[in-house]
C-alpha cells in the first residue's frame, strides 16, 4: 500500500479480458482480472495460456501503471526494487 498498490505481482494462467486474447472462446481472458488491475494496480500481471509462436505477437501491454506480460512458454523477468526510503 506504501506505493499506491496492494499487490506487486499477480501470476495467473489466463490473461485479463481484451489483453492478449486468442480468437477462440478457450483463449479469451477473464474480466475479473481487469477489475483486479483497476482496484489493486499491481506492477506486473504475468500470464501464460496463450502460446506464442510468432515473433510479431504482442506479449507486453501497459494498462495504467501495470505491465501485463505473456510469459508462455517461458520468460525471464527482472524486477527492479522501488526507489523509496
Amino acid at each position: 500500500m506504501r506505493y499506491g498498490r496492494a499487490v506487486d505481482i499477480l501470476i495467473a494462467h489466463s490473461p485479463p479480458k481484451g489483453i492478449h486474447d486468442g480468437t477462440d472462446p478457450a483463449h479469451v481472458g477473464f474480466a475479473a482480472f481487469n477489475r483486479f488491475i483497476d482496484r489493486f494496480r499491481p506492477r506486473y500481471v504475468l500470464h501464460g495460456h496463450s502460446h506464442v509462436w510468432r515473433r510479431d505477437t504482442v506479449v507486453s501491454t501497459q494498462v495504467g501503471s501495470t505491465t501485463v506480460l505473456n510469459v508462455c512458454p517461458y520468460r525471464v523477468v527482472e524486477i527492479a526494487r522501488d526507489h523509496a526510503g
Side-chain angles (χ1 to χ4, degrees):
M1 300 297 291
R2 174 188 274 177
Y3 303 111
R5 61 182 178 271
V7 175
D8 283 323
I9 302 170
L10 170 66
I11 300 173
H13 180 73
S14 296
K17 187 170 185 171
I19 302 171
H20 310 155
D21 281 342
T23 56
D24 61 322
H27 291 93
V28 173
F30 291 114
F33 293 151
N34 299 73
R35 292 188 297 273
F36 186 93
I37 290 170
D38 288 341
R39 181 168 184 185
F40 296 107
R41 298 189 333 247
R43 285 178 69 184
Y44 297 96
V45 172
L46 309 179
H47 73 86
H49 192 65
S50 302
H51 296 269
V52 177
W53 305 111
R54 296 175 47 121
R55 301 188 87 163
D56 62 346
T57 301
V58 174
V59 295
S60 179
T61 301
Q62 195 69 32
V63 180
S65 61
T66 301
T67 302
V68 180
L69 295 171
N70 182 340
V71 297
C72 189
Y74 67 91
R75 184 171 182 149
V76 175
V77 179
E78 294 187 30
I79 300 177
R81 185 175 181 190
D82 279 338
H83 299 288

